[in-house]
Amino acid sequence: MGNTKCISTTALSKLINIPTSELFSLLMKMGWIERKNDTWCLTEKGKMKDGQLRSDSIRGTWIVWPENIHEDKDFLESFHKPETKFINATALSQIFNISKFRINPILSELGWVERDRKGWILTNLGKSIGGKRLEYEKTGIPYVTWPESILKNKRLVETFQQLIGEPMEEKDEVQEQNDVSFREKFEAKHRTADGHFVRSKAEMIIDNWLYMSEIVHAYERKLPIEEDVYCDFYLPIGKVYIEYWGMENDPKYLDRKKAKLDIYQKYGFHLIELTDADIQNLDDVFPKKLLKFGIQAY
């Protein structure tokens, strides 16, 4: 590096006027730095760009760059690519008027993030809708930011509307007709022990079994995706979905079953499938299926 003046990554972020965490994320995406054992390290690419490690007894170890690194061709190409604006959990809380402490648990319930021992990390579903994992520079604690397009995500908007009691937007006509047709054909008239009304005796048995096993569950919860799909049951613990397949001889039902299974597979959701044969032997079958997802029934 010769006599070239060097600046730290933090100083570089101030020079080009972007948050330090975003610069670290950019350098990591470019392959110049990487995270090892809660410490930022130079890669071979970073060393080729004349990055160096500096250290002292007070500040520890940090990375420095040539003062003119922001004029490097590769850096300019990456830095000036049109970047999607990202927002964090605090910004979401302000936009939807929800406590910032509730945002990540809500996103977790949607299956977009999960709690790490230090903070919050992305799930595969969260990645699919554009979430980006970052780390605080000093602590290495992970957090997630979201593209502004998340504000138009139908499932997220519906969830916040439900939380604050706002009226829901009407579904598109085709989907609404399909849902109404199915629900009118199979009216929810069987009352369960915990007060749910379900559409079949088999579903009543499943619901009662979960209630008596003290397993929190939701009935006909909408999946946290853009498609209008509802599961039979949802278990917040383990984020497990349950589908009871009860009309195996109906061609239309089988088509609907295949379409739902394709969606579960597409998003990698945890799924438990139950059939009429399982219902006859639920005490033996159900605990084993639940245990696969870490849920203790008794």
Side-chain angles (χ1 to χ4, degrees):
M1 200 178 289
N3 296 321
T4 302
K5 185 178 178 180
C6 299
I7 59 175
S8 68
T9 308
T10 300
L12 177 60
S13 72
K14 293 177 181 178
L15 180 64
I16 61 179
N17 195 30
I18 69 170
T20 304
S21 59
E22 288 188 20
L23 179 56
F24 272 95
S25 178
L26 176 64
L27 294 172
M28 183 168 63
K29 188 184 298 184
M30 292 163 61
W32 292 11
I33 62 174
E34 60 185 345
R35 192 80 176 171
K36 288 184 177 179
N37 300 323
D38 294 331
T39 303
W40 289 110
C41 302
L42 279 166
T43 63
E44 290 303 317
K45 281 187 178 181
K47 294 175 183 177
M48 289 176 64
K49 295 298 180 179
D50 289 331
Q52 289 188 353
L53 293 177
R54 296 284 175 82
S55 62
D56 61 33
S57 58
I58 298 176
R59 290 175 291 178
T61 302
W62 69 97
I63 297 173
V64 297
W65 307 95
E67 187 180 30
N68 61 350
I69 191 67
H70 60 291
E71 298 173 0
D72 177 89
K73 180 182 176 183
D74 294 335
F75 184 89
L76 285 171
E77 287 181 356
S78 296
F79 182 70
H80 289 295
K81 284 180 182 176
E83 289 287 337
T84 302
K85 186 176 180 181
F86 282 77
I87 53 179
N88 59 17
T90 300
L92 279 175
S93 73
Q94 294 169 348
I95 292 167
F96 290 103
N97 196 27
I98 298 284
S99 167
K100 65 180 181 180
F101 299 108
R102 296 182 64 192
I103 295 296
N104 280 320
I106 291 169
L107 297 177
S108 175
E109 201 276 336
L110 285 170
W112 296 357
V113 299
E114 60 187 14
R115 188 181 288 279
D116 183 62
R117 61 187 180 90
K118 289 185 176 181
W120 294 92
I121 58 176
L122 275 170
T123 62
N124 288 333
L125 181 57
K127 292 177 184 176
S128 74
I129 57 177
K132 183 168 65 173
R133 172 178 167 160
L134 298 174
E135 292 181 350
Y136 291 106
E137 178 188 358
K138 293 183 178 179
T139 64
I141 293 176
Y143 66 99
V144 176
T145 60
W146 305 95
E148 276 193 319
S149 58
I150 198 75
L151 301 177
K152 297 180 181 179
N153 183 280
K154 183 167 62 174
R155 188 65 188 99
L156 181 70
V157 172
E158 287 176 350
T159 297
F160 283 119
Q161 285 178 336
Q162 291 170 340
L163 287 172
I164 63 178
E166 286 187 359
M168 302 286 289
E169 291 184 8
E170 293 186 4
K171 301 175 186 177
D172 66 86
E173 187 175 347
V174 173
Q175 182 61 44
E176 187 173 358
Q177 288 175 353
N178 290 337
D179 286 347
V180 169
S181 174
F182 179 80
R183 285 169 173 74
E184 282 183 349
K185 186 175 180 180
F186 302 99
E187 182 183 354
K189 60 183 179 181
H190 300 274
R191 187 182 180 92
T192 67
D194 59 357
H196 288 139
F197 281 92
V198 298
R199 302 183 189 280
S200 68
K201 289 184 178 179
E203 288 185 342
M204 182 174 67
I205 292 171
I206 296 168
D207 195 293
N208 287 341
W209 194 97
L210 291 169
Y211 177 67
M212 295 304 177
S213 299
E214 299 183 347
I215 297 175
V216 176
H217 57 283
Y219 178 64
E220 288 194 343
R221 177 188 184 271
K222 190 174 182 181
L223 270 60
I225 55 178
E226 288 289 282
E227 296 95 329
D228 285 314
V229 180
Y230 293 77
C231 64
D232 288 336
F233 296 93
Y234 172 68
L235 311 183
I237 180 173
K239 295 180 175 58
V240 175
Y241 298 88
I242 299 172
E243 289 288 350
Y244 161 67
W245 309 118
M247 300 173 62
E248 299 290 344
N249 297 321
D250 185 329
K252 288 184 178 180
Y253 182 87
L254 291 177
D255 289 341
R256 180 171 173 269
K257 173 183 176 180
K258 182 181 183 305
K260 291 185 78 173
L261 286 174
D262 287 344
I263 286 177
Y264 280 114
Q265 184 175 7
K266 173 183 176 181
Y267 291 101
F269 291 144
H270 295 163
L271 175 64
I272 289 176
E273 300 179 69
L274 295 173
T275 64
D276 283 329
D278 295 326
I279 299 300
Q280 303 301 319
N281 198 26
L282 206 57
D283 284 337
D284 290 332
V285 172
F286 214 179
K288 295 176 183 177
K289 289 179 178 286
L290 291 166
L291 198 57
K292 290 181 180 180
F293 299 106
I295 301 175
Q296 192 80 36
Y298 299 116

